[in-house]
Amino acid sequence: MLKRFSYLFQALTERDSLSAKWVVFFGFVVAVALMFPQGLSVESDHAVGTVWTEADLYAPFAFPIYKDVHDYERERELSANKVYKVFEENQDVAEVQIDSLQRFFDLLQKIIDRRPSDAKDIDLALSNFPLQFRDSEWKTLWILRNVEQQRGKLSKYSFDKLRRDVLLVVNGIYLQGILDVRKSQLKPDEVIAKRKKTIEQIVPVNRFLDREELGKVVQQTFIAGFNGENDTVSIALKIALSFLTPNIIYQKEQTDREIQFAVDLVPRTEGAVSEGERIISKHDRVTPEIKLKLDSMRKAKEERGAGINTYITFAGKMLHIFSITWLLVMYFYLFRKRIYHDNGRLLLIFSLFLAVAFVAYLSVIVPSSFPLRFIIIVPVLSMLLGIIFDSRVAFYGTVVSSLLVAGVRGNDYGIALASLVAGSFAIYTARDIKKRTQIFRSIVYIFLGYAIVIVAFGLERYETFDTVLNQLVVASFNAIFSPIITYGVLIFFERFLKVSTELTLVDLSDLNHPILKELAHKAPGTFHHSVSVATLAASAAEAIGANATLARVGGLYHDIGKMANSELFVENQLGTENKHRVLSPRKSARVIAAHVDDGIELARKKNLPESIINFIPMHHGTMHIGFFYEKALRQKKNKNEVNESDFRYPGPKPNTKETAILLLADGVEASTRAIEDPTAEKIEANIESLIKLRLLEGELDESTLNMRDLSRIKESFLKILIGVHHSRLQYPEIEPQNNSAVKELEKPAPSKTKRSTPAKAAPDKRLQRTIENIDQ
């Protein structure tokens, strides 16, 4: 079920559709508006056992007293359980089947007798014969048909006896009744209503047979009638079962109508209050009976205000919610375009808002002596938004959710302030989180946020110590369970909705990850290339304000497809023969390009996030596989014989800043390694030319990189590559004063084997100190 929900979530959100955005937004507004309080008045806020501190309350008009919801539903359930399931006996079934059975025996007798005049009819009947008899059974039928009659009576095992007994059994079974449902679906001692035309009988279900019992009962009957003659019993059983079908049919629609009729007869009210009647006096305690009257009066007020006023009120609630959430949507549109243009992320955010609003709604409708408003899980939303997105999105989301909670609770802005402070503290603890266990350090901060507001309002309102203590106890439960819920929901989002968070990326960036360890083992050259590219990409992403962690992880996994044929890539061919020498240019190009599809297949098999899988095809875009394309052109006299599409990567082109950075980093790292005697000027010229080439080829057209970003990316690449390829100092030759030490230094060390290379002896201490000084 979770996988199906995941596929549905991805299917609904894969497009940047404006209409889908409006559907999500207005669906959210309507859903929350339905949770807003509906005409609540002061009399509904008093729980059973509290003291009425207002003036005496009189009924402004007559109204019925409604039963408690739980009691009313229990009565309806009991009434529904008393209704019998309705079954109808179909007499036509028995008549038709018995008539068909008679004709079957006539046909069977004709086949056994086989008169020459009936040969054609018999051959036709055999071709459409409904049953399959064994040879031994046909022989038994022939014997039964041709057995001699003794003393003017039928033989004990004659064909006519077989016919008579089968008809009697089938008719008896139909008289008993065959259910069209299994008895296991009914209660063992259940009683049903069996209807036959206008007559209804209430009978126990055990009186009838079902399909599971049918074969066993018929077989036992024939065994007793034929004294265990196996072939005879088998023949009779096959024939009888072929003409036995259910004739007691369950009538679901009639049963449902009977249940609905019985349920509708249960009264919703229990008495009434007259106009002017006193409901409760001042300083009286609220009893269950008085509470029912208070709730009934509230309901009556709502019903009296129904009609056009209800629609106006509901429209006002929607406008209230619209004004709160519209600011957040505009923030996404102006400053977080990646979220605004991703319907999946918008749906995820509004789903979290809806969940928090629903918990706030439950805190209103669930009767309790505890202050349930402090159990509303705003900190969960704050931490999730902070981990999945960033601190700013989390803070704005916390503000919006706090205002929504206040609205759902009837403009309770005290809890809004408490939720805002506790949520802000939760964001602080969840920002820059690198380990999942860091989530649990927020317990103290969430409780501190609630405690500050609770104590502040308690002092302002002169609340008792017990009241403040109860609020702190409930807030402590919120502080404890919010990180636990966050931890579990985060795993659900990552595993089933394929949402990649910073924690997911941090886990994947560990070089001890199984995929990276396998890459280092099977393709060490590719592994070191990937680490270098990841470093370049992360630095460049940080320079332009992109997601550096995402760029780094994408760099680490972008070439995992090379593990399938690692020896065909140059970085893994150290000390081995280049296998491309024996392949045609086209074949070599296809093999090289295949690492993209191999990588995607492996990534999906290993359940890598979709955001990481995107780096695999996009780090090459639709570029030429240049070396083999040029080689093919040189080999062909007619250049038109070379199909250019055979020498291109499948794409698509990079469509985010991070994937575009990786495309550039991959090319820069590979081309820089090919520079002889790299200098800062050569490296800079190489970076600049490669970026210009990718621009001219159009590989960056679908990304959001601008010229300022490209300039910063170039500077970032240059800084790192100069550090990697910096020139070494040439140590000057030293004229040591101790010639004997030099001679000793120049002596070849004794070789252990014939293949060992000569080694120099260690210099004396004075020469060693001289070299150390030069190094310093």
Side-chain angles (χ1 to χ4, degrees):
M1 184 180 67
L2 292 175
K3 287 184 177 179
R4 289 180 179 177
F5 175 73
S6 173
Y7 295 147
L8 178 62
F9 177 84
Q10 294 175 5
L12 290 174
T13 59
E14 63 179 351
R15 283 188 175 183
D16 179 20
S17 170
L18 183 61
S19 58
K21 288 178 174 56
W22 282 109
V23 168
V24 170
F25 182 67
F26 277 107
F28 168 77
V29 170
V30 171
V32 177
L34 292 172
M35 300 180 196
F36 265 51
Q38 313 236 351
L40 289 175
S41 54
V42 292
E43 59 266 15
S44 65
D45 293 332
H46 289 73
V48 174
T50 58
V51 176
W52 183 265
T53 57
E54 309 292 333
D56 292 357
L57 181 64
Y58 294 89
F61 49 81
F63 59 88
I65 302 174
Y66 292 95
K67 294 179 181 178
D68 179 74
V69 175
H70 300 292
D71 294 339
Y72 177 63
E73 291 300 328
R74 186 166 52 252
E75 290 180 16
R76 287 166 61 91
E77 185 178 353
L78 289 173
S79 181
N81 290 336
K82 292 179 181 179
V83 177
Y84 301 123
K85 287 185 172 62
V86 178
F87 287 79
E88 187 160 349
E89 182 179 354
N90 190 341
Q91 290 180 298
D92 294 339
V93 172
E95 293 175 1
V96 170
Q97 293 296 330
I98 291 175
D99 185 57
S100 299
L101 182 58
Q102 292 275 18
R103 291 197 301 272
F104 172 81
F105 272 110
D106 292 340
L107 176 63
L108 186 60
Q109 179 177 330
K110 185 181 291 186
I111 292 172
I112 295 171
D113 293 343
R114 198 169 182 84
R115 297 191 182 105
S117 59
D118 299 331
K120 291 184 179 180
D121 294 338
I122 292 172
D123 291 339
L124 180 62
L126 284 173
S127 62
N128 298 316
F129 198 66
L131 295 179
Q132 294 292 329
F133 290 129
R134 299 191 304 271
D135 291 342
S136 60
E137 291 172 340
W138 280 112
K139 184 176 181 181
T140 301
L141 286 169
W142 186 87
I143 293 172
L144 291 174
R145 178 61 183 155
N146 294 282
V147 70
E148 294 181 357
Q149 294 185 359
Q150 297 178 359
R151 299 179 182 177
K153 296 182 179 181
L154 292 175
S155 173
K156 185 177 182 180
Y157 304 116
S158 67
F159 182 83
D160 288 340
K161 175 177 172 52
L162 173 67
R163 177 174 186 159
R164 183 188 61 196
D165 288 353
V166 170
L167 284 169
L168 287 173
V169 169
V170 169
N171 189 61
I173 294 293
Y174 277 123
L175 289 175
Q176 183 176 356
I178 306 171
L179 297 172
D180 68 334
V181 296
R182 294 194 301 270
K183 285 186 179 179
S184 58
Q185 297 176 346
L186 306 173
K187 298 177 182 177
D189 55 347
E190 187 165 351
V191 177
I192 64 173
K194 191 195 79 167
R195 293 177 179 175
K196 184 177 179 180
K197 294 184 179 180
T198 58
I199 302 173
E200 180 177 284
Q201 291 179 305
I202 307 301
V203 293
V205 72
N206 291 330
R207 172 180 166 181
F208 305 100
L209 298 173
D210 63 4
R211 293 180 180 179
E212 294 178 352
E213 299 173 324
L214 196 58
K216 185 176 180 181
V217 170
V218 174
Q219 185 179 22
Q220 290 176 349
T221 303
F222 285 135
I223 289 174
F226 294 106
N227 292 332
E229 288 289 332
N230 292 335
D231 283 340
T232 307
V233 171
S234 176
I235 293 168
L237 183 62
K238 283 183 179 180
I239 296 173
L241 291 179
S242 299
F243 292 91
L244 286 173
T245 58
N247 64 330
I248 308 297
I249 311 301
Y250 175 54
Q251 304 296 320
K252 186 178 185 306
E253 292 184 3
Q254 294 184 30
T255 303
D256 292 341
R257 283 199 298 268
E258 295 286 343
I259 292 174
Q260 188 62 45
F261 181 75
V263 166
D264 291 341
L265 289 178
V266 177
R268 181 68 183 85
T269 60
E270 51 179 11
V273 175
S274 303
E275 183 178 353
E277 180 181 340
R278 183 168 58 186
I279 298 174
I280 188 171
S281 302
K282 188 175 182 179
H283 303 309
D284 281 353
R285 193 171 296 277
V286 178
T287 63
E289 293 77 15
I290 293 175
K291 177 64 174 173
L292 284 179
K293 292 181 180 180
L294 293 175
D295 291 341
S296 298
M297 186 170 71
R298 173 180 58 81
K299 185 175 179 63
K301 285 182 177 180
E302 292 176 6
E303 292 175 351
R304 279 174 165 255
I308 188 65
N309 292 333
T310 302
Y311 294 110
I312 293 175
T313 304
F314 188 74
K317 296 171 185 175
M318 291 181 61
L319 188 61
H320 183 176
I321 302 164
F322 183 90
S323 61
I324 293 174
T325 52
W326 182 251
L327 294 176
L328 183 65
V329 174
M330 292 306 299
Y331 169 73
F332 291 154
Y333 177 74
L334 295 174
F335 304 106
R336 291 292 185 272
K337 293 186 181 295
R338 182 181 297 176
I339 297 176
Y340 178 80
H341 291 293
D342 188 338
N343 289 344
R345 298 189 180 197
L346 287 176
L347 181 59
L348 178 63
I349 292 171
F350 282 109
S351 297
L352 292 175
F353 285 155
L354 191 61
V356 171
F358 182 70
V359 175
Y361 175 70
L362 291 178
S363 71
V364 175
I365 65 172
V366 174
S368 175
S369 58
F370 289 96
L372 295 182
R373 60 187 180 278
F374 291 104
I375 206 70
I376 301 172
I377 52 174
V378 173
V380 173
L381 177 139
S382 304
M383 287 190 288
L384 285 173
L385 293 182
I387 294 171
I388 296 174
F389 302 105
D390 56 58
S391 298
R392 288 190 179 184
V393 172
F395 179 73
Y396 287 123
T398 302
V399 172
V400 169
S401 63
S402 300
L403 294 175
L404 289 175
V405 165
V408 171
R409 287 194 54 82
N411 298 329
D412 183 359
Y413 289 99
I415 189 59
L417 180 60
S419 300
L420 179 59
V421 175
S424 300
F425 280 25
I427 296 169
Y428 173 78
T429 59
R431 68 187 182 94
D432 299 327
I433 191 168
K434 300 301 180 186
K435 293 182 179 179
R436 297 182 187 274
T437 52
Q438 287 179 265
I439 294 175
F440 296 102
R441 69 179 181 179
S442 57
I443 292 176
V444 175
Y445 288 89
I446 294 172
F447 177 74
L448 182 62
Y450 278 120
I452 291 173
V453 178
I454 289 171
V455 173
F457 277 105
L459 294 175
E460 181 184 355
R461 298 172 180 175
Y462 300 100
E463 292 178 339
T464 64
F465 176 77
D466 290 340
T467 302
V468 174
L469 183 61
N470 284 338
Q471 294 174 357
L472 290 174
V473 169
V474 175
S476 66
F477 279 103
N478 192 337
I480 293 171
F481 285 106
S482 287
I484 298 174
I485 296 172
T486 302
Y487 190 92
V489 171
L490 198 60
I491 293 175
F492 172 79
F493 284 166
E494 291 173 338
R495 184 165 299 177
F496 295 103
L497 300 186
K498 306 301 181 184
V499 175
S500 57
T501 66
E502 283 292 314
L503 289 175
T504 311
L505 299 178
V506 170
D507 291 343
L508 292 173
S509 66
D510 185 358
L511 296 182
N512 288 319
H513 192 280
I515 298 178
L516 296 180
K517 289 177 72 174
E518 185 180 2
L519 179 64
H521 175 70
K522 291 184 177 180
T526 301
F527 172 76
H528 289 290
H529 160 73
S530 299
V531 172
S532 301
V533 170
T535 304
L536 288 171
S539 176
E542 188 173 358
I544 67 170
N547 191 330
T549 309
L550 178 61
R552 170 175 166 76
V553 177
L556 289 174
Y557 290 87
H558 77 282
D559 268 344
I560 58 175
K562 291 183 178 180
M563 284 192 286
N565 297 290
S566 60
E567 69 280 359
L568 294 174
F569 296 89
V570 65
E571 66 266 26
N572 302 312
Q573 292 177 351
L574 298 178
T576 61
E577 184 181 357
N578 189 344
K579 295 186 177 183
H580 288 285
R581 292 178 181 177
V582 297
L583 299 177
S584 66
R586 183 181 179 279
K587 180 66 174 177
S588 294
R590 291 298 88 206
V591 169
I592 294 297
H595 84 274
V596 172
D597 292 332
D598 292 339
I600 293 173
E601 182 181 355
L602 178 61
R604 295 194 191 283
K605 183 179 178 181
K606 298 295 185 180
N607 294 319
L608 290 182
E610 200 66 31
S611 59
I612 302 303
I613 297 176
N614 290 337
F615 283 88
I616 298 174
M618 292 183 186
H619 81 275
H620 284 305
T622 58
M623 293 189 305
H624 271 115
I625 307 176
F627 178 82
F628 295 109
Y629 181 62
E630 296 296 333
K631 185 178 178 181
L633 291 177
R634 289 195 301 268
Q635 289 182 359
K636 298 288 185 180
K637 293 181 180 180
N638 186 1
K639 294 184 178 181
N640 293 329
E641 296 179 6
V642 178
N643 188 356
E644 184 188 8
S645 61
D646 291 340
F647 296 87
R648 280 191 179 276
Y649 286 101
K653 296 178 181 179
N655 57 12
T656 64
K657 288 185 176 181
E658 290 80 9
T659 52
I661 288 171
L662 186 68
L663 179 140
L664 297 174
D666 185 61
V668 165
E669 196 279 335
S671 59
T672 302
R673 278 192 285 110
I675 299 175
E676 294 183 3
D677 298 326
T679 62
E681 293 76 12
K682 290 182 179 180
I683 294 173
E684 183 176 8
N686 176 60
I687 297 172
E688 189 170 347
S689 64
L690 188 135
I691 292 176
K692 287 181 179 179
L693 179 61
R694 297 295 177 258
L695 276 172
L696 293 174
E697 290 175 341
E699 295 297 330
L700 304 179
D701 290 350
E702 298 180 13
S703 70
T704 55
L705 293 178
N706 53 41
M707 297 307 295
R708 180 181 297 177
D709 292 336
L710 292 175
S711 177
R712 291 176 178 173
I713 290 170
K714 171 191 165 184
E715 293 172 2
S716 174
F717 286 170
L718 183 61
K719 182 179 179 181
I720 291 179
L721 291 173
I722 288 176
V724 173
H725 298 280
H726 68 276
S727 57
R728 302 283 181 179
L729 289 173
Q730 297 293 330
Y731 294 140
E733 292 187 2
I734 302 172
E735 290 290 340
Q737 297 177 359
N738 190 347
N739 291 330
S740 62
V742 175
K743 292 178 181 179
E744 186 67 24
L745 190 63
E746 293 176 349
K747 283 183 180 180
S751 59
K752 294 182 180 179
T753 64
K754 292 181 179 181
R755 286 186 160 181
S756 62
T757 57
K760 293 184 180 180
D764 63 5
K765 292 182 179 180
R766 186 170 61 182
L767 183 60
Q768 181 67 34
R769 283 195 300 270
T770 303
I771 294 174
E772 289 175 356
N773 291 333
I774 293 173
D775 286 342
Q776 292 175 2

